[in-house]
Amino acid sequence: AMHLIQILLPTHHRDGTEVEAAQFARVRDELTERFGGVTAYSRNPATGLWKGAGEAVERDLVVMVEVVVEVFDREWWAQYRGSLEDRFGQEEVHARALAIEAI
């Protein structure tokens, strides 16, 4: 089965500064080089809301990038997610893998 990998990248660092456009371009280039293509939904960032530890609602603006892979290498993706967390200055970058079937 094929897998759809989706990664939500923040538009701002934890300190509030804007993530440079080159950071998103680097991710697109890396994924295109490794997997032959990528889709990036970057025109209108999505808004993510969640309750933090103090019950306050936190907010993030995110860009989603996704890749379809024939072989899901969990270890590689976990390492890549860790590198994105470092590069984007995040405690956690949300990433998910979904088994898909082409129609």
Side-chain angles (χ1 to χ4, degrees), residues 3 5 7 27-39 66-73 76-77 80:
H3 285 81
I5 313 301
I7 305 169
V27 171
R28 289 190 309 267
D29 291 347
E30 289 169 345
L31 295 176
T32 299
E33 179 67 28
R34 183 169 179 97
F35 300 104
V38 66
T39 301
E66 60 183 27
V67 176
V68 174
V69 298
E70 290 186 23
V71 176
F72 176 55
D73 182 344
W76 186 89
W77 283 105
Y80 189 67

Side-chain angles (χ1 to χ4, degrees), residues 50-67:
W50 70 95
K51 285 205 172 193
E55 293 298 313
V57 174
E58 298 190 38
R59 172 188 166 147
D60 245 348
L61 294 177
V62 295
V63 168
M64 183 169 63
V65 295
E66 60 183 27
V67 176

Side-chain angles (χ1 to χ4, degrees), residues 2-3 8 11 15 18 21 24 31 33 40 42-43 46 51 57 68 76-77 82-83 95-96:
M2 295 186 300
H3 285 81
L8 301 179
T11 60
D15 66 5
E18 196 169 322
F24 298 104
L31 295 176
E33 179 67 28
S42 54
R43 183 170 238 179
K51 285 205 172 193
V57 174
V68 174
W76 186 89
W77 283 105
S83 76
R96 55 187 169 237

